Amino acid sequence: MIHNPGIECMPREDMRKLQSERLVKQVKICYDNVPFYKKKMDEKGVKPEDIKSIDDIVKLPFTCKTDLRDEYPFGLQAVPMSKIRRIHASSGTTGKPVVDTYTDNDIANWSEGVARVMAVGNVGPGDVVQVAYGYGLFTGGLGVHEGAHTRGAIQLPTSAGNSSKQIMLMKDFGSTALACTPSYALHLAEVIEKSDVKIGDLKLRVGFFGAEPWTEGMRRELERKLNIKAYDIYGLTEMSGPGVGGECECQNGTHLWEDMFFPEIINPDTLEPCAPGECGELVFTSLCKEAMPILRYRTRDLTRLIYEPCKCGRTMVRMDKILGRSDDMLIVRGVNVFPSQIETVLTEFPVFTPQYYITVDRKDNEDSFDLDVELREEFFSPNPSKQMPYIKPLYDRIVSLVGIKPNIHIKEPGSIMRSTGKAKHVTDKRILYND
Ligand code: DLL
């Protein structure tokens, strides 16, 4: 089901016109109300009058995460505090959080973005949407909550954690949709397997998973284990939160809501636009944010855009699965490794669970790459000689696909740390030596 066909299926020329109109306004708002943008544009010699259409976007300066931190908390705000209705922030691992603030209209637009994603799963009145993203400063919980509200569905705000209770409520309240990180969804599936609840006792039919990279293999696993259709939902705090885009029924790329967020792909080294279809860093310009508009924000997410028309009828551009963030990329013995590549390989092997943990270290000037994996219950034996036949094919596949020679350690099923939010897959001990 398409939530807003007038916009989602708009002819591309009309979309360009809408984007142009909105960009012109958004840039003027930034220049006139946010000293940070005035300074940046003046430095680049660009005036609002120079921005006449969406094609002129390349004239604008970029905004980086460090700019957001420098302007913490409200330096990028374009309206007085009396117009603000909500404040969210991303946790981040270092320093100050990234803040986003919202007017009433911003919250309405944000909910519209999430509602468009939920419509793909035909979520509407009578559906119980179990929102197991964290509620709080994180945008996942409240963002998805509002989107479910816009669809006229019943919101079940369980937040993340307390897995046994999640499953009890899922069964007793008849949840039809589950929204959480894919890693937490997998954990819930494992808890269900170990409980008295049968999948047939549940009414679950659809899931909206995001906030972290996940692979096609993980989708297959979640769809099989939970007997649902699993859709990807993408977003980031700086662009309001979840619902910057989502997958359609074709599950073949994430449509980005281009009427609200204009995407570009740039080469992160040269900062030049990439050729259409080429992989690079995703950059967004908000087109109708009121409280904290944002120009050419460098997300650090690596992906490519797909402009070929989609069979679903939506005309909005699609993006490929996010390979990872440039700052999550590990360089081990000179090889670039994204944790999601390990998930891709693991899910090719039915004997392994998709759980993994990477530890990178440096000994005698050489990098080591240790990989903890779990065999499924039915294949596990503590006897190392019985594990060997499973290790060799996994090792070979990682060497050929990722280009790195891992030290593989087989762990007991269930022993790798599960997460209720964004999963942590890596410890890079080398960072300690650089401090
Ligand atoms: O994670 C917003 C969100 C909540 C999205 C719930 C989807 C569902 P942040 O905490 O600011 O916001 O993190 C944003 O998470 O730049 C990506 O690196 C990553 N990310 C978000 N969605 C996906 C996804 C929320 N579907 C950062 N696939 C982004 C891959 C994702 N990575």
Side-chain angles (χ1 to χ4, degrees):
M1 179 186 293
I2 300 184
H3 179 73
N4 189 341
I7 289 282
E8 291 174 67
C9 306
M10 188 181 256
R12 299 256 350 138
E13 315 81 78
D14 296 352
M15 178 57 67
R16 290 296 282 186
K17 259 188 231 150
L18 181 69
Q19 288 168 332
S20 295
E21 279 163 23
R22 289 186 170 175
L23 180 70
V24 169
K25 276 194 207 148
Q26 190 88 120
V27 169
K28 190 156 168 37
I29 290 172
C30 286
Y31 192 85
D32 292 346
N33 298 283
V34 185
F36 165 85
Y37 284 120
K38 179 172 186 312
K39 183 163 172 276
K40 274 216 156 189
M41 286 176 60
D42 286 346
E43 277 167 9
K44 228 176 171 253
V46 195
K47 295 274 172 253
E49 308 78 79
D50 298 328
I51 307 300
K52 298 188 177 73
S53 85
I54 197 74
D55 297 328
D56 295 321
I57 199 160
V58 290
K59 297 178 182 163
L60 292 168
F62 290 105
T63 309
C64 301
K65 201 176 271 269
T66 47
D67 296 323
L68 269 58
R69 296 226 158 100
D70 293 346
E71 295 298 320
Y72 173 89
F74 305 129
L76 293 184
Q77 203 166 281
V79 298
M81 284 312 268
S82 57
K83 293 249 162 48
I84 301 299
R85 298 292 176 269
R86 182 91 65 78
I87 305 174
H88 278 282
S90 76
S91 51
T93 43
T94 51
K96 303 268 193 211
V98 165
V99 175
D100 200 3
T101 60
Y102 308 71
T103 63
D104 273 332
N105 268 339
D106 290 335
I107 293 176
N109 285 336
W110 181 19
S111 313
E112 155 91 19
V114 177
R116 289 183 197 170
V117 185
M118 293 205 156
V120 172
N122 291 328
V123 168
D127 270 304
V128 177
V129 181
Q130 184 158 342
V131 186
Y133 285 111
Y135 279 65
L137 285 177
F138 177 51
T139 55
L142 280 162
V144 170
H145 181 107
E146 304 260 5
H149 186 232
T150 300
R151 286 297 306 160
I154 302 161
Q155 303 114 65
L156 178 58
T158 51
S159 195
N162 208 344
S163 305
S164 316
K165 192 164 176 195
Q166 296 268 3
I167 288 154
M168 182 185 90
L169 300 179
M170 192 181 278
K171 175 167 170 270
D172 295 348
F173 296 174
S175 302
T176 51
L178 173 66
C180 59
T181 61
S183 49
Y184 190 47
L186 182 65
H187 178 53
L188 287 175
E190 290 173 338
V191 177
I192 293 173
E193 270 171 4
K194 292 204 179 89
S195 74
D196 302 334
V197 175
K198 303 266 164 305
I199 286 294
D201 299 337
L202 302 175
K203 293 205 178 126
L204 216 54
R205 59 179 178 77
V206 62
F208 300 99
F209 306 128
E212 62 184 6
W214 56 304
T215 58
E216 276 307 313
M218 180 71 119
R219 187 213 304 282
R220 284 193 298 275
E221 179 92 5
L222 289 172
E223 292 195 333
R224 183 176 59 79
K225 284 199 156 175
L226 291 168
N227 192 25
I228 56 171
K229 286 291 263 182
Y231 294 107
D232 201 343
I233 176 166
Y234 171 81
L236 58 163
T237 312
E238 298 85 330
M239 299 295 138
S240 298
V244 170
E247 271 181 328
C248 66
E249 302 78 355
C250 303
Q251 294 181 312
N252 193 13
T254 292
H255 288 276
L256 295 174
W257 309 138
E258 284 181 89
D259 55 319
M260 298 196 257
F261 308 99
F262 185 79
E264 298 171 82
I265 299 284
I266 60 158
N267 177 322
D269 300 322
T270 63
L271 305 185
E272 291 299 321
C274 287
E278 205 183 320
C279 188
E281 180 177 344
L282 183 60
V283 169
F284 280 114
T285 299
S286 66
L287 295 178
C288 43
K289 271 176 105 212
E290 288 181 342
M292 266 200 198
I294 189 155
L295 303 181
R296 300 194 87 195
Y297 181 65
R298 294 186 55 186
T299 63
R300 304 192 197 179
D301 288 331
L302 301 171
T303 185
R304 67 188 187 100
L305 295 180
I306 307 163
Y307 286 96
E308 284 88 58
C310 183
K311 289 200 189 83
C312 73
R314 290 173 187 81
T315 49
M316 301 229 182
V317 69
R318 282 171 291 159
M319 83 174 176
D320 214 343
K321 278 229 175 264
I322 304 265
L323 176 60
R325 297 171 57 81
S326 52
D327 36 4
D328 286 345
M329 187 182 79
L330 295 161
I331 304 181
V332 184
R333 291 176 223 135
V335 178
N336 297 350
V337 182
F338 286 97
S340 62
Q341 293 176 295
I342 300 294
E343 184 180 295
T344 301
V345 174
L346 270 178
T347 54
E348 290 173 5
F349 291 84
V351 293
F352 291 105
T353 74
Q355 307 284 353
Y356 65 97
Y357 201 87
I358 299 167
T359 308
V360 183
D361 203 349
R362 182 169 297 148
K363 283 173 203 137
D364 304 327
N365 285 323
E366 210 190 326
D367 291 335
S368 57
F369 186 92
D370 285 88
L371 175 64
D372 293 351
V373 294
E374 285 177 3
L375 278 170
R376 290 183 199 272
E377 203 93 47
E378 54 278 34
F379 301 100
F380 179 74
S381 155
N383 179 348
S385 68
K386 294 212 168 133
Q387 297 174 354
M388 274 322 281
Y390 299 121
I391 292 184
K392 179 79 173 81
L394 180 65
Y395 175 89
D396 288 346
R397 185 73 179 130
I398 292 175
V399 172
S400 83
L401 200 90
V402 189
I404 187 97
K405 292 180 178 164
N407 305 316
I408 297 176
H409 311 279
I410 293 198
K411 300 283 167 189
E412 257 183 65
S415 64
I416 294 177
M417 195 177 54
R418 272 37 176 182
S419 125
T420 58
K422 295 180 193 253
K424 180 169 165 23
H425 291 295
V426 181
T427 298
D428 190 344
K429 294 188 175 166
R430 298 172 303 178
I431 293 166
L432 298 173
Y433 313 136
N434 295 335
D435 283 346

